[in-house]
Each structure stands twice: as structure tokens, then as C-alpha cells.
Amino acid sequence: MFFVDTVAVPGLGNRSYLAGGPATAVAIDPPRDIDRVLEAAARRGVRISHVVETHVHNDYVSGGLELARIAGARYVVPAAASVAYERLPIADGDELPVDEGLVLRAMATPGHTPHHTAYVLAEAGRPVAVFTGGSLLVGTVGRPDLVEPRLTEALAHAQHASAHRLAAELPDDTAVLPTHGFGSFCSAGASAAGADASPTTIGEQTKVNEALLKDADDFVAELLAALDDAPAYYAHMGPINTAGPAPVDLTPPAVADPGELAARLEAGEWVVDLRSRVAFAAGHVAGSYNIEAGGQLAVYLAWLIPWGRPVTLLAESPEQLAQAQRELARVGIDRPAAAATGGPEDWLRAGERPESYRRATFAELEAEDGAGVVILDVRRASERKATGVIPGSLSIPLHELRGRTAELSKGRTVWVHCAGGMRASIAASMLATAGHDVVAVDDSFANAPVPPRC
């Protein structure tokens, strides 16, 4: 009998896996914080013999090198990937013994990267699961534009071919277990319904996956037309993973008192308040940014902050701080410069008062007199195209806002909205820091005053 345990990383939209038999297991695409993989192995009472990567990742820092070292396992990386550390190179058709009757077979599936490799888990010679990494996802495929712009079209064609190879060579009941596609920006499109339910199968994907339903030319044309901006921090992940990531350090950061927080703000460093957008709007340290803990904290902070800029975290509890530190380490923000817990009353110097701004609904926005008001939509272009826009609204996607605040007059109140409120709060905190009068629309875009489509 075999098992497959999932190690979910919901903030990044990824999953890692531990698969094996009674005595031995392999880890696939492990996250930076490897303790959860080690705990999964301990619960099963198995030894990790191999740590395998489907590709050199562009969206997170891998824990594979460190996991292999600690577990005494072989570190397996596709042979065509150029890396700076010792590994066991693997090529199409190579097999790794897992446990008695269990074998892991490499299957070349280029497209997400040129060297991308899927791994087929076979029991008694029959495929039972395939770890597809960034190739075949739930309803879509991994995006092909993260390596080199000149390769994008060729890699998109390769994605189509790889998806068809998987469908042709594996039985319909083979479980499909991707790394990306559960909210990850590594996905080339929206995943099909059921992306949060695991597992799907090859047979199910032949009925819903765009790559398996369209011919190559149509698929590639539509895929390339739909590609949206990738997070800016992705540019740093590949080089880190190629060089070999340092071991993660999750020891608590230094504690900052109100004087140090003020000094860091005055020096232009980022001070990020992890509390809820409701709490932040009601009162916060002037100059701080709000990115709520949980959700996609790591994605948006790493996307927005100038790479390498020191960051100080403000949390309502040590537990919230520790979880945020763990999430940020996954994307290469290894050590917060400092941190503090509590609330504004603990973070402000004597005599200082917290800043605040208004939260509102789309109904309140619709009732507002339009004179002196700017409606700012910080959703991505693909979202505006899919769901419509508020007439007269200005579009500045959140990831572009820091460089475009000059487009907003400080003489007008900015009502900022997104699809649900979280990104609007980030944008509102950035605009407030830049001196704008701001209202954060904390509401579902389903309630927005959008004209009906014909």
C-alpha cells in the first residue's frame, strides 16, 4: 500500500507532497519551511530517501536542498537544470525506488520551464499518481513566461504537448497532483471548479483542461493573450534556487520600541502592520502599510516592497508574527529587521496619536457626490475585463501603484476598491502614507455599480 500526504501552502497557492510506503518516502517540491514535511514523515514513521524537484522554482524559495541534508536523502533535480550544488540529475525515463513495489519515474514535461519534469508514482508497475508540478494543473497549465521572454511561445507549445503526453501515457484513474494552481500566480489561467479538492485524475482533466480540449495553435494563442503580470519578486526566486538557498531561520526578530519604529519610518524603511484591515483603518501608526496576516501576505509584500528593503512587522500577537515570518521566508524575505506586537498604543511615542481613514461600501460610493472624488480600481486588467468596471474609474493595478501615485491629485478624495477589500486596504495605506485623503471600499465587487453587459 502507498500513501500521499499533501503539505499545503495556501498563501502561495501551492502544494508539496510526501509519498511512499510503510518504510520509505519521497518528498516532492518541498516549501522553504521544511519542518512540516519532517513532521509528516515522523507521523508516518517513514524515512525520506529522496527529495525531488519538478523544476527550479520561480515563485518560492525551495526547502529541498536543506531537507535532503537533514533527512540524509538524495536531492533530485532535472538534469537539464543548471544549478550550483551537488544533486542527483534525473532525465526522462529514469526511475527511483521508493519502497517495496513502489517506483517513481521521471517524465519530461517541458513548458513551465525548459527542464520541467513530472514524476509518476507506480505501484506494482501500474501508475497510481503523477506529480505534475507546473505542467498539467487543475483545468489549466503552468504559465510559460517566467524563464525568458524569447522562449515564451515555444514553451507554451511545449506545455500543450506535455499535457497531451501525460494524458496519452497514463491511465484515466491516475491521480493528478500539481504543485501550482491553487491560487498561485504560476498558473496560466483560472483553475477549473474543484481546484481546491484533491485529487483530480487524468480522466477528469481530459474533460475540463483547456490544454486537452483545444488544438495547439488555438490553445497557445489564447494562453499568451491571457497572461497577466507576474509578481515582481519572481525574478529573484530562480537565482536563489539555482545558487542553493540558505537554511531558513525562524528565530524571532529583534523587538522595536516606539522610538526605533519612528526612526525606521523616517529612514524610509517599510513598517508593515499585519492586523485586519478593519483594525488598521480604525487606528494605525502613520506611515505604516497594511497587509493582513494570512491570505496572500507573502505574495503582496514581496511583490510591492523594493527588493532587499528592510521590513519591520507589527503584529497583534507573537503567534501572528511567527506565522507571518514563516510565510515571508518562503519568498526570500528571511529576516525582518525588527518587530513589535500589540496595537498602536504600544507602537507610538508619548503624545502621538494613531492615524485613521474611512471604510465604506459600494452602496456608499454610489451615493457619493462625484465632485471632488476619484474612484481608483486596483484590480488587474484581466479582472476588469472579466467582471466590468465602474464608469469613470481610474485603473492602476496594485502592483503598479507605488510608482504611479503622482497620477492622483491630492485635492480630491480617493475611493479605492478591489474585488473584496484586502487589496484596497493595502492601496489605501500606501496612498495615506503618500498624503492622500482616502476611503477604502471594503466590499465585494458583486455589489459595485457596474452597468449590465449587452
Side-chain angles (χ1 to χ4, degrees), residues 289-322:
Y289 300 112
N290 177 223
I291 307 180
E292 292 179 322
Q296 292 185 299
L297 163 68
V299 169
Y300 282 105
L301 178 52
W303 194 342
L304 297 173
I305 192 171
W307 190 254
R309 180 77 59 87
V311 59
T312 294
L313 301 177
L314 304 179
E316 59 188 10
S317 69
E319 294 75 20
Q320 185 182 68
L321 174 62

Side-chain angles (χ1 to χ4, degrees), residues 45 72 79 115-116 167 207 226 231 254 257 267 270 279 298 318 330 354 367 381 409 446:
H115 60 264
H116 190 283
K207 300 173 184 176
D257 62 20
W270 274 45
R330 295 170 182 157
S409 168

Side-chain angles (χ1 to χ4, degrees), residues 122-362:
E123 183 181 43
R126 177 174 174 78
V128 292
V130 57
F131 302 97
T132 56
S135 55
L136 187 68
L137 310 184
V138 182
T140 184
V141 296
R143 58 192 299 164
D145 61 328
L146 300 179
V147 177
E148 159 60 53
R150 291 170 295 182
L151 298 178
T152 296
E153 185 171 353
L155 287 176
H157 278 280
Q159 277 290 51
H160 184 269
S162 291
H164 280 261
R165 181 187 181 192
L166 289 163
E169 296 187 16
L170 297 176
D172 281 353
D173 60 356
T174 306
V176 175
L177 300 168
T179 299
H180 306 312
F182 307 95
S184 168
F185 283 95
C186 271
S187 174
S191 294
D196 291 330
S198 181
T200 184
T201 65
I202 288 289
E204 290 169 357
Q205 288 307 297
T206 61
K207 300 173 184 176
V208 301
N209 197 295
E210 297 172 354
L212 299 174
L213 295 174
K214 298 174 181 176
D215 68 39
D217 289 341
D218 287 345
F219 170 75
V220 168
E222 293 178 21
L223 183 150
L224 296 180
L227 289 174
D228 214 334
D229 290 343
Y233 76 89
Y234 276 20
H236 304 281
M237 300 296 96
I240 292 173
N241 288 323
T242 296
V248 68
D249 179 2
L250 296 178
T251 57
V255 177
D257 62 20
E260 182 179 349
L261 291 175
R264 290 186 177 278
L265 285 166
E266 290 166 3
E269 296 183 12
W270 274 45
V271 175
V272 177
D273 190 327
L274 303 171
R275 296 175 302 146
S276 75
R277 54 186 181 263
V278 175
F280 185 88
H284 57 268
V285 176
S288 61
Y289 300 112
N290 177 223
I291 307 180
E292 292 179 322
Q296 292 185 299
L297 163 68
V299 169
Y300 282 105
L301 178 52
W303 194 342
L304 297 173
I305 192 171
W307 190 254
R309 180 77 59 87
V311 59
T312 294
L313 301 177
L314 304 179
E316 59 188 10
S317 69
E319 294 75 20
Q320 185 182 68
L321 174 62
Q323 182 59 35
Q325 186 177 351
R326 175 181 290 267
E327 292 180 22
L328 294 178
R330 295 170 182 157
V331 294
I333 301 178
D334 282 1
R335 295 295 301 160
T341 58
E345 65 278 5
D346 303 301
W347 304 331
L348 292 168
R349 293 174 294 189
E352 292 180 329
R353 297 180 60 83
E355 296 287 325
S356 63
Y357 53 72
R358 180 183 168 194
R359 292 170 48 252
T361 64
F362 279 111

Side-chain angles (χ1 to χ4, degrees), residues 358 360-368 415 441 443-444 447-449:
R358 180 183 168 194
T361 64
F362 279 111
E364 290 172 291
L365 171 58
E366 191 172 14
E368 183 74 13
W415 288 63
V441 179
D443 197 358
S444 168
N447 299 321

